[in-house]
Amino acid sequence: MSQVILDNYNQAVANKLIQASDKKTLSHAYLFEAIQHDQALATALFLGAYMFCETTQKPCQECSQCQRVLTHNHPDVFVIQNDKQTIGVDEVRELKSELSKTPIEGKQRLFIIDRAQKLTQPAENALLNILEDPASDVVMIMIAPNRKQLLPTILSRLQIVEFDQQLAQSNWADRLSLVQASDKALLLDLQNAGIEFNQLEEFNQLESFFHEVKQLLQQIILKDQAAYIHFQTVIKPMITTPSMQEVFFKSLMILATQQLEQQQEVRALSLISALIEVSHRRQFNVNFDSLVDYLFIQTIFAPYQGRA
């Protein structure tokens, strides 16, 4: 049997949403700005269970209505959730098709977009059309670690709930207390870039990873062909999931930008340009090895055109 367990902070958020539900003042669309996405998703499902629970002690989390919500099997609850690098326009079109239907078992429907930061720009544009003409019987919840990862036009149509910031900041503070001073700025920049705390937890030796990426950056700037071997033999074995791949590319981008801004290292420009293109290609689910090969071809093996 599936059940949702919320900590005290997130339970308080859920209670406010439940009160709004009772007063029939729920917004038609929310952004749960949550660095730790699991509790945000759990709270969205908790609200859904409350909306459809068939007992007096809502949400009981035991009746058939609650169980179907919590296991993503309720006909009036639609969840966009995948393990791909992006959420594409086809998935938003499927959501739009669902929106055209009337509630089957209740008076409302609940739509959840998990990890909304993965929406491609075409998908966001398609979603904007939905938000501009909201259905009266629908509540939509989007979950993302940072509101800046969504288009301003999308944000203007969402009620933002700063979800688990106290807990998240505590976890980041704990991590900051354990790293070298030189890595603190990088950690904070990764947080600002939308990296979630649990993505960093996937690295057993985060500080060692940072050290190796910094060394790789210097090798790339110097056009040292040993950089490719260094990546394949040392760094790549540390990267085993798509979320860790994202941390790798964003760490390299942050460090390259710092080189350009602080040391005026113009040779970092080719790396930044290549990383921008890598980010674009990741939206189309290009595999990691191909992205890395492109990065090295553009930076190490391409003729250098600038001035040292």
Side-chain angles (χ1 to χ4, degrees), residues 131-294:
L131 293 173
E132 286 176 339
D133 186 22
S136 60
D137 56 1
V138 168
V139 175
M140 182 180 295
I141 295 175
M142 301 171 65
I143 302 171
N146 192 321
R147 70 187 72 183
K148 294 180 181 179
Q149 294 171 296
L150 300 175
L151 291 174
T153 48
I154 294 285
L155 292 177
S156 67
R157 290 161 175 81
L158 302 176
Q159 182 172 325
I160 298 175
V161 180
E162 294 182 347
F163 204 75
D164 55 3
Q165 299 302 307
Q166 294 178 356
L167 179 61
Q169 288 169 4
S170 174
N171 285 331
W172 281 89
D174 289 344
R175 171 60 80 176
L176 283 171
S177 69
L178 297 175
V179 300
Q180 300 177 12
S182 59
D183 289 333
K184 292 185 189 297
L186 178 55
L187 268 176
L188 291 172
D189 285 337
L190 284 170
Q191 181 187 20
N192 292 333
I195 293 298
E196 299 179 35
F197 181 79
N198 57 8
Q199 290 178 261
L200 299 178
E201 287 189 310
E202 295 185 43
F203 291 93
N204 291 327
Q205 296 293 329
L206 183 62
E207 292 72 33
S208 176
F209 169 75
F210 284 163
H211 172 78
E212 299 300 339
V213 173
K214 290 175 182 178
Q215 181 176 338
L216 179 69
L217 171 69
Q218 295 305 317
Q219 290 174 315
I220 291 175
I221 287 176
L222 295 173
K223 298 182 71 69
D224 181 355
Q225 295 186 12
Y228 188 76
I229 298 173
H230 176 214
F231 172 81
Q232 293 291 341
T233 58
V234 179
I235 297 176
K236 186 177 178 181
M238 299 182 184
I239 304 171
T240 58
T241 67
S243 64
M244 296 167 82
Q245 295 168 12
E246 183 181 13
V247 174
F248 167 70
F249 286 126
K250 286 191 174 180
S251 297
L252 202 53
M253 174 64 88
I254 290 168
L255 292 169
T257 303
Q258 289 175 352
Q259 283 279 315
L260 182 63
E261 293 176 349
Q262 297 174 6
Q263 301 181 27
Q264 298 182 341
E265 178 52 82
V266 296
R267 286 176 294 187
L269 277 172
S270 62
L271 175 56
I272 293 171
S273 177
L275 285 167
I276 291 172
E277 178 61 23
V278 163
S279 179
H280 174 72
R281 295 186 181 198
R282 289 187 76 236
Q283 294 183 8
F284 296 94
N285 296 314
V286 176
N287 70 67
F288 182 60
D289 288 337
S290 296
L291 293 173
V292 170
D293 287 345
Y294 171 84

Side-chain angles (χ1 to χ4, degrees), residues 77-130:
V77 178
F78 188 80
V79 182
I80 293 181
Q81 186 179 47
N82 65 44
D83 294 325
K84 296 186 295 186
Q85 293 177 355
T86 61
I87 297 173
V89 68
D90 288 342
E91 289 164 286
V92 176
R93 286 172 180 161
E94 184 181 358
L95 183 150
K96 186 174 183 178
S97 175
E98 287 290 325
L99 279 167
S100 66
K101 302 174 184 178
T102 57
I104 296 174
E105 297 188 13
K107 296 181 180 180
Q108 285 185 297
R109 305 193 74 198
L110 176 64
F111 291 78
I112 301 171
I113 303 179
D114 187 24
R115 299 185 187 275
Q117 74 272 16
K118 297 197 297 183
L119 286 163
T120 63
Q121 187 166 342
E124 285 194 85
N125 290 332
L127 182 63
L128 182 60
N129 292 332
I130 295 172

